[in-house]
C-alpha cells in the first residue's frame, strides 16, 4: 500500500486533522502550512482521493455505506454486520464491509482508502482514537459504534454505544445477593473504549457494595484469551468473575475446569454480549446482552439519512443493557461467604 495521509502528517509535523483539511477544506489551513503539507505529499507520492460533493450524490437514494469491524468472525460483530446489511437492503443502500483484524494500522489504512469513495462510514469498536477517525473521514458522514467523542472544538460524529451501566449494576447486585464478596474482572483490549467504560462502572459498583475487586490485565478477546486468564482468576481468590465478553468468559470456564475448579460451585462466571453460544455452553452462560443488531440497523439508518442530505447535529445514543441469568452463576462457596 502506498503512502498514507498519516505518513504526510508525520513528515510535516502536523496533526492528522490538519493534514486532512489541507485536502478536504484548504481554506481552514494557513498558507505556509498548506504549502508545506502539499509539498511533502508530492515528495512522498501521496495521492489524495478526490472528495465527493458536499451535498448528496445524484443517486442519494442508493447510497454506498462502508461498515468497518475489528473481527467479522466474532459473533458480536457478525450480528452488527447482518443487521446493518438488512437495513441497507431495506433502504436500497449498498453496504461495503471491511475487517480490520483488531489492527489499528490496518483500520487506519482502510478508513483512509474508503473515505473519498463512499457516502458514509460506520466504524464499530474502533481501535483508533475518535479524533483520528474523524480526521480520516473528513466530511464523509460517520457513525462511531462502541466509542464516544466529545469534540468540543472539532468535527464530531454520531456515537452509538451499548451502555453497560444497568447491566453491570444488575450483575453486581445479583452476585452480592448470592454471597460473593470478592470478584474479578477480566479486561479486553487496552485499545477498547468499551473495556475502559466497563472497568470504570465495575470499580464504582464494587466500591458502593463494599466488595473486593481484582481487575486483571487485558487479554485477547477470544476463548484462548479467557483460558489464559483462568489461572489468574483462580489465584486471585475471587468467587465470581465478570469477563469483557462471552468468548473470554467461555475460555475462563474451560481454563477453570482444567484446574479442577467447578463452575458455578467454586466459581461463578458472567460474560458480556449474550452470543448464541452462551445458551448451549456447559453450563449455560450468564451474560449481559449488548444490542449489537440494533446498533447495526441504527447506524445504517443514520448514515442513509445523512447521505440523502439530512445532516443533523451529532447525537450520542446510548442503548441500555440488562442481565440474563443462567447456569454459570450460583451462590458463593460457604467458606467464602462467611
Amino acid at each position: 500500500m502506498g503512502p498514507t495521509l498519516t505518513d504526510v502528517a508525520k513528515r510535516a509535523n502536523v496533526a492528522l486533522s490538519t493534514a486532512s483539511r489541507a485536502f478536504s477544506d484548504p481554506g481552514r489551513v494557513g498558507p505556509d502550512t498548506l504549502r508545506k503539507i502539499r509539498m511533502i505529499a508530492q515528495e512522498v507520492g501521496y495521492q489524495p482521493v478526490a472528495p465527493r460533493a458536499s451535498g448528496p450524490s445524484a443517486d442519494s437514494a442508493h447510497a454506498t455505506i462502508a461498515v468497518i469491524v475489528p473481527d467479522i468472525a466474532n459473533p458480536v460483530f457478525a450480528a452488527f454486520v447482518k443487521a446493518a446489511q438488512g437495513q441497507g437492503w431495506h433502504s436500497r443502500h449498498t453496504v461495503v464491509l471491511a475487517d480490520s483484524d483488531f489492527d489499528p494500522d490496518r483500520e487506519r489504512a482502510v478508513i483512509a482508502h474508503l473515505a473519498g469513495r463512499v457516502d458514509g462510514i460506520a466504524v464499530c469498536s474502533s481501535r483508533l482514537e475518535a479524533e483520528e477517525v474523524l480526521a480520516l473521514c473528513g466530511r464523509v458522514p460517520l457513525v462511531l459504534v462502541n466509542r464516544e467523542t466529545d469534540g468540543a472544538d472539532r468535527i464530531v460524529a454520531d456515537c452509538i454505544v451499548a451502555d453497560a451501566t444497568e447491566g453491570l449494576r444488575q450483575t453486581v447486585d445479583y452476585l452480592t445477593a448470592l454471597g460473593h464478596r470478592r470478584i474479578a474482572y477480566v479486561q479486553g483490549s487496552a485499545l477498547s473504549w468499551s473495556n475502559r467504560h466497563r472497568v470504570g462502572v465495575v470499580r464504582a459498583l464494587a466500591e458502593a457494595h463494599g466488595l473486593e475487586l481484582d481487575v486483571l490485565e487485558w487479554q485477547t478477546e477470544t476463548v484462548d484469551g479467557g483460558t489464559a486468564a483462568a489461572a489468574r482468576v483462580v489465584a486471585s481468590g475471587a468467587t465470581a468473575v465478570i469477563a469483557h465478553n462471552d468468548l473470554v468468559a467461555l475460555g475462563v470456564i474451560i481454563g477453570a475446569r482444567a484446574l479442577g475448579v467447578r463452575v458455578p460451585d467454586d466459581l461463578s462466571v458472567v460474560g458480556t454480549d449474550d452470543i448464541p453460544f452462551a445458551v448451549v455452553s456447559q453450563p449455560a452462560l450468564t451474560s449481559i446482552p449488548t444490542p449489537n443488531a440494533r446498533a447495526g440497523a441504527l447506524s445504517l439508518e443514520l448514515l442513509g439519512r445523512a447521505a440523502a442530505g439530512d445532516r443533523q447535529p451529532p447525537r450520542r445514543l446510548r442503548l441500555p443493557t440488562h442481565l440474563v441469568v443462567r447456569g454459570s452463576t450460583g451462590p458463593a462457596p460457604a467458606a467464602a461467604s462467611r
Side-chain angles (χ1 to χ4, degrees):
M1 186 172 291
T4 66
L5 187 60
T6 301
D7 299 326
V8 174
K10 288 180 179 178
R11 286 279 299 272
N13 196 28
V14 298
L16 182 60
S17 56
T18 303
S20 175
R21 283 194 293 270
F23 299 100
S24 63
D25 195 5
R28 296 179 59 194
V29 181
D32 292 340
T33 302
L34 179 62
R35 191 180 308 110
K36 178 182 179 183
I37 292 171
R38 292 195 167 180
M39 184 179 300
I40 289 175
Q42 186 174 8
E43 289 175 358
V44 301
Y46 170 71
Q47 296 293 329
V49 177
R52 287 174 173 256
S54 57
S57 63
D59 192 16
S60 60
H62 302 281
T64 299
I65 308 295
V67 173
I68 302 171
V69 297
D71 181 14
I72 188 57
N74 186 315
V76 172
F77 303 120
F80 175 85
V81 170
K82 185 175 180 62
Q85 290 185 323
Q87 180 65 32
W89 176 262
H90 177 74
S91 303
R92 303 170 68 193
H93 300 319
T94 299
V95 177
V96 177
L97 174 62
D99 184 334
S100 66
D101 197 29
F102 289 107
D103 183 343
D105 291 333
R106 182 182 296 189
E107 182 182 336
R108 183 181 296 112
V110 166
I111 296 173
H113 176 73
L114 291 171
R117 296 174 167 86
V118 296
D119 299 290
I121 300 178
V123 183
C124 183
S125 297
S126 175
R127 265 41 185 174
L128 302 174
E129 290 300 324
E131 182 178 32
E132 183 172 5
V133 178
L134 292 164
L136 289 167
C137 289
R139 293 182 175 181
V140 179
L142 167 69
V143 172
L144 284 169
V145 181
N146 292 338
R147 179 173 286 280
E148 286 193 347
T149 176
D150 293 328
D153 57 353
R154 59 182 186 272
I155 302 172
V156 293
D158 288 325
C159 301
I160 303 173
V161 299
D163 188 349
T165 304
E166 180 59 20
L168 286 171
R169 185 194 65 76
Q170 292 177 15
T171 299
V172 174
D173 285 349
Y174 177 63
L175 293 176
T176 302
L178 290 174
H180 296 279
R181 296 294 176 265
R182 186 181 187 93
I183 63 176
Y185 185 90
V186 181
Q187 297 190 70
S189 168
L191 299 176
S192 168
W193 179 91
S194 295
N195 179 68
R196 296 196 297 268
H197 171 61
R198 293 170 190 172
V199 169
V201 172
V202 170
R203 286 189 190 279
L205 289 168
E207 182 178 356
H209 284 75
L211 304 178
E212 293 183 71
L213 172 67
D214 287 292
V215 177
L216 306 183
E217 292 301 318
W218 69 274
Q219 296 288 339
T220 57
E221 298 171 8
T222 63
V223 172
D224 286 344
T227 304
R232 294 198 61 189
V233 172
V234 173
S236 74
T239 58
V241 56
I242 303 170
H244 172 74
N245 67 17
D246 284 351
L247 295 179
V248 172
L250 294 173
V252 169
I253 292 175
I254 293 170
R257 185 179 296 133
L259 295 169
V261 175
R262 299 167 299 170
V263 175
D265 300 52
D266 305 316
L267 178 69
S268 288
V269 180
V270 180
T272 305
D273 293 327
D274 199 25
I275 62 176
F277 302 129
V279 179
V280 298
S281 68
Q282 293 296 326
L285 182 64
T286 295
S287 186
I288 304 170
T290 49
N292 302 296
R294 174 60 180 147
L298 187 55
S299 297
L300 261 290
E301 182 181 335
L302 294 175
L303 289 170
R305 291 177 183 175
D310 182 13
R311 300 293 293 266
Q312 299 291 325
R315 289 145 288 191
R316 181 177 287 107
L317 306 175
R318 297 177 181 271
L319 307 181
T321 58
H322 64 279
L323 177 68
V324 174
V325 176
R326 298 193 182 96
S328 67
T329 47
S337 61
R338 293 194 187 104

